[in-house]
Amino acid sequence: SEVLGAMITPAVLISASGVLVLSTSNRVARTVDRVRVLAAEVERLQMSAESASALIHTKEFKRKHIGDQLVQLSDRALLLRSALTALYTAIGLLVATSILVGVVALLQWAYTWLPIVSGFAGSCALLYGSLLLVREARLAVRSTLQEVSVAREAVINAGEQRIEAETALD
């Protein structure tokens, strides 16, 4: 029963790693979707006809903002890739730990340190993956706050332009 308990203990960490892998995969999908939306926006801006200087300034501002967002999304994608690698490594090491506990007990090996090292390495990989996800989440929030700022500025500018147009009509 002690051997079975020792073999099952890493399963809790395997389960935690699996949940993190699932959520990280969803984050990767959202990042890819956002890149596609921004790429379509860039194409739309490039295809739109050039017009008044105010619109050109707005388009240049929007292009710069999209460029900044794409850089941040690239950074996020790289962090997510590293986090997934760390989490998959953690799962592999933790599964190996469970197997090694059983093998050491079954064959009565003197290598009892082997599952300990494997379990420690798996736990470290899980911690590293979690830290990478924290960094990525901070980037995601910063990017979102920048988008909110740009949207707020666009709303304010649109309101000012509407007021100017109404004033000109009066």
Side-chain angles (χ1 to χ4, degrees), residues 103-138:
V103 168
V104 166
L106 183 66
L107 301 177
Q108 298 177 351
W109 277 358
Y111 303 110
T112 56
W113 56 269
L114 207 51
I116 294 169
V117 169
S118 177
F120 183 73
S123 297
C124 287
L126 179 58
L127 175 63
Y128 179 64
S130 298
L131 292 174
L132 288 172
L133 289 174
V134 168
R135 283 184 54 201
E136 187 275 335
R138 292 176 61 84

Side-chain angles (χ1 to χ4, degrees), residues 23-36 38 67-85 129 131-147:
S23 71
T24 303
S25 296
N26 287 334
R27 289 161 96 162
V28 168
R30 285 195 312 270
T31 301
V32 168
D33 290 344
R34 184 67 185 136
V35 167
R36 289 181 180 149
L38 289 175
D68 292 343
Q69 289 290 308
L70 288 170
V71 168
Q72 289 181 9
L73 287 166
S74 296
D75 292 343
R76 287 179 61 195
L78 292 173
L79 282 171
L80 290 167
R81 180 191 63 189
S82 297
L84 277 172
T85 301
L131 292 174
L132 288 172
L133 289 174
V134 168
R135 283 184 54 201
E136 187 275 335
R138 292 176 61 84
L139 270 177
V141 169
R142 181 174 18 155
S143 177
T144 301
L145 291 175
Q146 285 176 349
E147 287 198 45

Side-chain angles (χ1 to χ4, degrees), residues 9-69:
T9 301
V12 174
L13 293 177
I14 292 168
S15 177
S17 298
V19 170
L20 285 174
V21 164
L22 181 62
S23 71
T24 303
S25 296
N26 287 334
R27 289 161 96 162
V28 168
R30 285 195 312 270
T31 301
V32 168
D33 290 344
R34 184 67 185 136
V35 167
R36 289 181 180 149
V37 166
L38 289 175
E41 180 72 15
V42 167
E43 284 183 30
R44 191 181 65 73
L45 283 173
Q46 289 174 344
M47 292 182 158
S48 66
E50 296 297 325
S51 53
S53 63
L55 286 177
I56 292 172
H57 173 70
T58 302
K59 288 178 185 177
E60 288 304 315
F61 176 76
K62 203 163 199 172
R63 279 190 185 106
K64 182 186 178 316
H65 173 68
I66 290 171
D68 292 343
Q69 289 290 308

